[in-house]
Amino acid sequence: MTRAQFDREQVIRDATQLFWQQGFSGASMQQVVKATGLKPGSLYLAFGSKEGLYQAALESYTSQLRAAVCRVLDDAPSVGEGVCQLVLQLVEECGSGNYCSCFLIKSQLELAASGSDLLHCISGYLSQMEDLYADYLSREHSPEQARLYAASLMLHVLGLRVYGYLGRSRETTIAAAKAGLPWLPWHKVDVPD
Amino acid sequence: MTRAQFDREQVIRDATQLFWQQGFSGASMQQVVKATGLKPGSLYLAFGSKEGLYQAALESYTSQLRAAVCRVLDDAPSVGEGVCQLVLQLVEECGSGNYCSCFLIKSQLELAASGSDLLHCISGYLSQMEDLYADYLSREHSPEQARLYAASLMLHVLGLRVYGYLGRSRETTIAAAKAGLPWLPWHKVDVPD
DNA sequence: GCTAAATTTGAATGAATGTTCAAGCTATTA
DNA sequence: TAATAGCTTGAACATTCATTCAAATTTAGC
């Protein structure tokens, strides 16, 4: 008997980074082999196929994303302020050098026409993020209002994840987000106008 | 001497549809050969490379998109109402059976990490769409207001192009868009609440 | 220390990839 | 009609692709 000699989570993290950057078709298994340090045989024994590994990457990414969102919203003085912080954080990411949008969004768009089993996962994960927003927002709003605000917030998050590539200034981007989310307590957070 | 025996624009349209659905990496030249009816040699003589054909597809798509937007905005009673119509039209598309998001957005996300020459084109085309919105909006708003509204509109358009995959009802989606774009004259257009 | 089960190795597989090119064809010009 | 420039053809090219598997290695249980 032998236990696996590699750190499964670390391998998934390495694969996630590669798939996130290059996409499913864009990343070859040879690149995965190089990125993870595992040989093809080990990869296929552990994950079954390229698609299996991609699915593990999606799961890992989503759980980390969810955790990061919860951390910010839990630590903020109010849900509204927390959401403001999330949006500002997003804008900040957009300006970073190697900006890479969102793994879920990129996966959704790339695989939409492929009819892959992964698709149900992906749109499910995206929906879960909206549900998460709605749950938090319902602490400060009626259920219907919370759902509406969550959908509008989702629209902005998705939009920002693409808008980030247009190279607009942080100020411009923040102003646009504020204009579309006027019900948030922007005056309570430290936002460069 | 001989003239090309195929309709160049038709070939580009066929290729556009394929690339739009499958992506750059996802669509093989063999598929392009089948979709256009041209043999490899003719394709390479006419477009130089897969990337060259993709570029032609992007150009074609963008000019049609621009024309469609202008048509709606020019024909509407006011720019505000025209923008409402554009948004509603977008939501309608989201619900259609073979929804395929936006070719520019999909290209931007897929090729972002590739370092391809196409990238400058793509983000340029997307920026041009925002500029177009700003131009029209400046007929009814101050230049600064128009730029702000155009950016917010852009955020919504990009967001909706991804949100469409989540399978939300038309009503939910429209409500979210209305919430984020409260400065539009929604009361003047026929919108299912 | 021996056996056996689990994991690792990495070369090999066949299919698919983007691209090329020499030969054949077509239509215009002289 | 003959010559020729330009287009079409589609088999062939070298790579690269995802995946496999038999042999080597490692560890756990006895």
Side-chain angles (χ1 to χ4, degrees):
Chain A
M1 286 187 212
T2 313
R3 288 277 181 78
Q5 290 167 24
F6 57 88
D7 178 349
R8 192 171 214 272
E9 295 308 313
Q10 181 58 49
V11 166
I12 293 175
R13 270 192 296 272
D14 292 340
T16 301
Q17 197 170 10
L18 181 68
F19 281 136
W20 185 358
Q21 281 173 11
Q22 309 286 346
F24 182 81
S25 296
S28 72
M29 285 305 282
Q30 294 198 37
Q31 288 178 290
V32 174
V33 164
K34 181 178 278 184
T36 61
L38 292 195
K39 307 293 170 188
S42 299
L43 279 171
Y44 277 82
L45 185 73
F47 301 102
S49 65
K50 189 183 185 183
E51 195 163 314
L53 178 55
Y54 199 88
Q55 165 129 21
L58 282 171
E59 268 180 44
S60 165
Y61 176 87
T62 305
S63 89
Q64 285 187 243
L65 178 63
R66 192 168 20 221
V69 166
C70 288
R71 200 179 321 119
V72 170
L73 293 183
D74 287 334
D75 290 356
S78 71
V79 172
E81 288 166 84
V83 171
C84 289
Q85 284 175 25
L86 282 177
V87 171
L88 293 175
Q89 191 176 304
L90 215 67
V91 174
E92 216 60 38
E93 278 180 45
C94 291
S96 86
N98 52 352
Y99 177 61
C100 215
S101 189
C102 160
F103 186 35
L104 285 178
I105 296 174
K106 293 181 78 169
S107 301
Q108 173 72 67
L109 293 194
E110 179 183 359
L111 301 173
S114 75
S116 160
D117 298 336
L118 295 169
L119 270 173
H120 298 100
C121 284
I122 298 170
S123 55
Y125 288 149
L126 283 170
S127 288
Q128 282 174 26
M129 293 308 299
E130 184 178 336
D131 294 342
L132 188 64
Y133 294 141
D135 281 352
Y136 274 98
L137 287 167
S138 67
R139 294 186 192 169
E140 298 180 355
H141 303 276
S142 73
E144 306 84 37
Q145 193 78 285
R147 284 233 68 90
L148 176 66
Y149 284 165
S152 176
L153 174 60
M154 199 68 184
L155 239 38
H156 281 82
V157 171
L158 300 177
L160 284 168
R161 287 300 201 185
V162 180
Y163 199 73
Y165 285 113
L166 300 205
R168 297 284 184 273
S169 74
R170 203 173 34 179
E171 292 75 24
T172 299
T173 310
I174 293 175
K178 284 175 68 173
L181 300 165
W183 46 273
L184 283 173
W186 295 104
H187 59 280
K188 289 192 188 167
V189 295
D190 186 28
V191 37
D193 191 42
Chain B
M1 287 187 206
T2 313
R3 287 276 182 77
Q5 289 167 26
F6 58 87
D7 179 349
R8 192 173 214 271
E9 294 308 312
Q10 182 58 48
V11 166
I12 294 175
R13 271 193 294 272
D14 291 340
T16 301
Q17 197 171 8
L18 181 69
F19 281 136
W20 185 359
Q21 281 173 12
Q22 309 284 347
F24 182 81
S25 295
S28 71
M29 285 305 282
Q30 295 196 37
Q31 288 178 291
V32 174
V33 164
K34 182 179 278 184
T36 61
L38 291 195
K39 308 293 171 185
S42 299
L43 279 170
Y44 277 82
L45 185 72
F47 301 101
S49 66
K50 189 184 186 185
E51 196 163 313
L53 178 55
Y54 198 88
Q55 165 128 23
L58 283 171
E59 269 181 42
S60 165
Y61 176 86
T62 305
S63 89
Q64 284 186 243
L65 178 63
R66 191 168 20 220
V69 167
C70 287
R71 200 179 320 119
V72 170
L73 294 184
D74 287 334
D75 291 357
S78 71
V79 171
E81 287 166 84
V83 171
C84 289
Q85 285 174 25
L86 282 177
V87 171
L88 292 176
Q89 190 176 303
L90 215 68
V91 174
E92 216 60 38
E93 277 179 47
C94 290
S96 86
N98 52 352
Y99 177 62
C100 213
S101 189
C102 161
F103 185 34
L104 285 177
I105 296 174
K106 293 181 78 169
S107 301
Q108 173 71 65
L109 292 194
E110 179 183 0
L111 301 173
S114 76
S116 161
D117 297 336
L118 295 170
L119 270 173
H120 298 102
C121 284
I122 298 169
S123 54
Y125 288 149
L126 283 170
S127 289
Q128 282 174 26
M129 293 309 298
E130 185 178 335
D131 294 342
L132 189 64
Y133 295 141
D135 281 351
Y136 274 98
L137 288 168
S138 67
R139 294 186 191 170
E140 298 180 355
H141 303 277
S142 73
E144 306 82 40
Q145 193 78 285
R147 285 233 67 91
L148 176 66
Y149 284 165
S152 176
L153 175 60
M154 198 69 184
L155 240 38
H156 281 83
V157 170
L158 300 177
L160 284 167
R161 287 299 202 185
V162 180
Y163 199 72
Y165 286 113
L166 299 204
R168 297 284 183 275
S169 75
R170 203 172 33 177
E171 292 74 25
T172 300
T173 311
I174 292 175
K178 283 175 69 173
L181 300 166
W183 45 274
L184 282 173
W186 295 104
H187 59 281
K188 289 193 189 167
V189 295
D190 187 29
V191 36
D193 192 43

